[in-house]
Amino acid sequence: MNLLTVKNLKKIYGSKWGGSICHALNGIDFEVAAGEFVGVMGPSGAGKTTLLNIIATIDTPTSGSVRIDGTEITSLNETELSDFRRTFLGFIFQDFNLLDTLTVQENIILPLSLAKVKARACATEIEARLEQVSVILGIRDILAKYPYEISGGQKQRTAAARAIITKPKLILADEPTGALDSKSSLELLQALSEINTENQATILMVTHDAFAASFCRRIIFIKDGLLFAELLRGDGRKEFFDKILSVLAALGGDNRELF
Ligand code: ADP
Ligand code: MG
């Protein structure tokens, strides 16, 4: 079953004051099955972030359809959207978005608190989930610390823990390893893979990094707001990595550094 179906999605950014308009998405179509781990790649300016933000319900399309788990999200009103976001989606951004005045633990359980879970009845449930996500992400030892006391990699893993503690059906990540060193990237990617296989979470991850992309089961390549190519991972991650590099070369010509 498809968890996500995107049809003929268009986004035109325009200036109200008569400036130039920008066609960020030009009628893109694709589907993601439940439980898939899909990477989104493409040159800078291809429309990746726009696409992710529309699926995340943070931005609205000019036209087209986005169905998530059977719900047409483009026709939801503001109240329905915030409910939907809370119940179905988890986000991981490049810049962490942690609240500085809260501890790691408080940041992670924030979405559950916002979900208005009845505190008493659910205290054990919250604790159990906190334990599970902090083990997966290797951050049990830093739960009492504040964001300014931890490293970039730990911040990103805290943000990932916050994204998955609600057990969202769809996790959206925009360049989640962009600000991390290679060791922290590897740890986050392994954690995402584990969340994908253990919790059956569907993941859509934008990345410009072929190594990060090689953890996905499938990659969609976007160029000029349209699907350009698709790659399925076979058995080996190394062969997949090499295939990704060749598609990137075809996509970018001499401009590989643009990715
Ligand atoms: P990517 O994430 O692939 O680098 P984006 O989705 O951020 O690409 O951008 C796609 C295109 O849309 C780019 O040409 C960008 O300049 C333009 N764009 C993105 N956001 C806005 C905005 N808020 N207003 C106007 N143009 C935008
Ligand atoms: Mg982007």
Side-chain angles (χ1 to χ4, degrees):
M1 203 199 90
N2 283 334
L3 186 80
L4 171 68
T5 309
V6 172
K7 272 198 194 133
N8 200 16
L9 194 67
K10 296 185 182 171
K11 177 69 180 183
I12 303 171
Y13 289 109
S15 157
K16 286 175 190 156
W17 300 280
S20 61
I21 58 167
C22 173
H23 292 254
L25 296 174
N26 287 306
I28 189 167
D29 292 296
F30 68 95
E31 295 171 345
V32 175
E36 270 197 291
F37 185 177
V38 176
V40 180
M41 301 190 87
S44 179
K48 305 179 298 293
T49 293
T50 302
L51 175 67
L52 216 72
N53 285 349
I54 292 173
I55 297 168
T57 76
I58 294 166
D59 200 353
T60 52
T62 306
S63 63
S65 156
V66 179
R67 289 186 86 80
I68 301 175
D69 206 30
T71 301
E72 176 60 51
I73 58 162
T74 56
S75 57
L76 298 180
N77 66 32
E78 269 311 312
T79 320
E80 291 167 333
L81 273 180
S82 58
D83 280 351
F84 184 84
R85 224 174 271 143
R86 228 173 17 227
T87 320
F88 284 90
L89 306 178
F91 313 101
I92 311 172
F93 299 104
Q94 181 174 349
D95 56 3
F96 319 133
N97 276 325
L98 298 178
L99 298 177
D100 294 332
T101 54
L102 300 182
T103 64
V104 165
Q105 168 162 337
E106 289 163 345
N107 266 288
I108 294 172
I109 64 175
L110 189 64
L112 292 180
S113 317
L114 293 177
K116 297 181 196 132
V117 203
K118 286 192 193 71
R120 247 180 79 82
C122 294
T124 45
E125 171 70 10
I126 290 177
E127 239 163 67
R129 290 201 201 177
L130 178 67
E131 171 72 12
Q132 192 213 6
V133 297
S134 49
V135 167
I136 291 179
L137 288 152
I139 48 176
R140 267 177 95 195
D141 300 341
I142 57 159
L143 289 176
K145 295 197 174 187
Y146 286 87
Y148 66 85
E149 297 175 302
I150 62 179
S151 71
Q154 290 170 327
K155 283 184 195 163
Q156 192 56 294
R157 282 182 279 142
T158 302
R162 183 188 52 191
I164 64 168
I165 198 163
T166 55
K167 300 193 177 161
K169 288 201 172 163
L170 180 60
I171 295 172
L172 301 165
D174 195 355
E175 303 278 4
T177 60
L180 303 183
D181 59 42
S182 56
K183 180 169 171 283
S184 300
S185 291
L186 178 63
E187 285 168 355
L188 181 68
L189 291 163
Q190 285 169 337
L192 285 176
S193 301
E194 191 177 333
I195 293 156
N196 172 243
T197 48
E198 303 291 310
N199 292 10
Q200 280 83 46
T202 307
I203 305 178
L204 191 61
M205 175 177 78
V206 171
T207 183
H208 66 273
D209 177 19
F211 176 73
S214 70
F215 282 76
C216 299
R217 232 73 65 69
R218 178 161 67 105
I219 312 285
I220 58 174
F221 295 87
I222 297 180
K223 189 178 183 182
D224 300 328
L226 282 170
L227 205 69
F228 170 85
E230 235 177 310
L231 265 187
L232 265 180
R233 176 170 159 181
D235 294 329
R237 197 167 59 71
K238 179 69 179 82
E239 294 93 80
F240 194 39
F241 176 76
D242 291 338
K243 279 190 197 158
I244 293 169
L245 286 183
S246 40
V247 177
L248 290 184
L251 250 173
D254 295 330
N255 300 312
R256 283 266 294 280
E257 72 278 4
L258 285 177
F259 286 87

